[in-house]
Structures are given as structure tokens and as C-alpha cells.
Amino acid sequence: QAQLVQSGAEVKKPGASVKVSCKASGYTFTVNYVYWVRQAPGQGLEWMGWVDPNTGRTNYAQKFQGRVTMTRDTSISTGYMELSSLRSDDTAVYYCARRATADSGFVTWGQGTLVTVSS
Amino acid sequence: EIVLTQSPGTLSLSPGERAALSCRASQSVNSNYLAWYQQKPGQAPRLLIYAASSRATGIPDRFSGSGSGTDFTLTISRLEPEDFAVYHCQQYVSSPWTFGQGTKVEIK
């Protein structure tokens, strides 16, 4: 069964960068995009973008353009999300997710990675 | 950007009661690409409904989705103790994909 396992919690200072990994198993990694969604404490969900593991093509929400980079390593079935110039309001749980078909929502989610930005 | 507005913000009900959650879009959600998720504290969201009315694999039939265009509803026919959680709607037809702010279903 499909599974996504993310890297552990991070604490970063303002202005730094963070890179979160998302390792896929139980399905063919290159078939489904890897999406990234974040959730600030006590807040709703926010879509950040996706990476196509097959081609490396990306699509980012305009809010994060210039600060986010999504990549993948097909040799280890892992997607990455790097966010730079961190601010305190980037403190959130970051999730990776996957859709199974073109008309479905996010059927598989990682467990989440808490990123805390604090001086 | 399509803005999704969920109502009510909080729904206080007892086990066994029926819950109706609303999700209203600022523009038409073409192809009814609207999903509903359940989220419990400290957990990732779980997909319940996709394409407005299709239940995801393993989701009990007490959960149903309806609606089209700009108005969508998630109905839980009879609340079980494990259904008390936060519910999010999401549109995935127009980039950026957006979520509603969530509806909390709490025990009365």
C-alpha cells in the first residue's frame, strides 16, 4: 500500500533555509506528482505546489514563488521541498501528499514535518 | 484564486445526530473537482470525498458529498464518536488549489 514518510522536525533561525524530504513506497514513484501542503499552528491547510517525479517539472503557488524549490531523486523514490529566507510565519507542519488519479484528491499523506522558525 | 468559505465554523452535535457541512466557492468549481478531508489533532488529513460526491476507498457510507458549481455539502448521516474532528474542503480544478478554513465538529 502506498506510503509517504517524511524527515524529522527542524528548528531554524529567520533567514535560513529548510529542506524537507518525502520518501515514497508501495507504488511507482514516477507515476504520481508529489504535492506539498502546509498548516500553521491552529490554522487551515495551504497548498504550496507540486513536482512531477517523472520529468522534474514543477508548479508553485504564487505566494511561494522565488522562495520554494521542489525537487526529486528517482533513484531513492524521494521528493524534496526547500524553503528559503524563512520567517516566523513559516512556522508550520509541512505535508507531502499524492493523488492516485487525475480526478481524485490527496489520497496519501506523509506524517508531516514540523518546521519551527525562531531566533 | 478560488476562495472557499466553510460554514459553520463549529458544529456542536451529539453522537447519532446528522451533520451537514457547507463549502461555498467564490467561482464555479468546474468538473466538480472538490474534495473533503477529515483531520484529527496531531494527524494528517484523510481523504473522505473526491469529485464532490465519490467516496474514497474505505470510507463508511455514512459520509456523503453533494453539490455542484459553487455550493457543496458534506453530510454525515449519523455521527459516530470517531467522527468528531475538523473537516476541510479543497478545490483542485484551478491553480492555486485552495482549501476552506475548516469546520470543527464537536461533541455537544
Side-chain angles (χ1 to χ4, degrees), chain A residues 35 37 39 43-47 50 59-62 95 99 101-107 109-112, chain B residues 33 35 37 39 42-47 49-51 54 56 88 90 92 95-102:
Chain A
Y35 297 84
V37 174
Q39 186 172 37
Q43 302 301 308
L45 300 164
E46 184 173 32
W47 179 82
W50 52 256
N59 180 28
Y60 305 140
Q62 189 169 9
Y95 294 101
R99 292 201 299 165
T101 61
D103 69 340
S104 80
F106 298 137
V107 66
W109 292 73
Q111 81 277 20
Chain B
Y33 277 0
Y37 300 87
Q39 188 178 28
Q43 295 184 17
R46 177 174 72 141
L47 178 66
I49 301 289
Y50 66 94
S54 297
H88 307 273
Q90 178 211 12
Y92 50 100
S95 184
W97 294 1
T98 47
F99 292 86
Q101 81 280 18

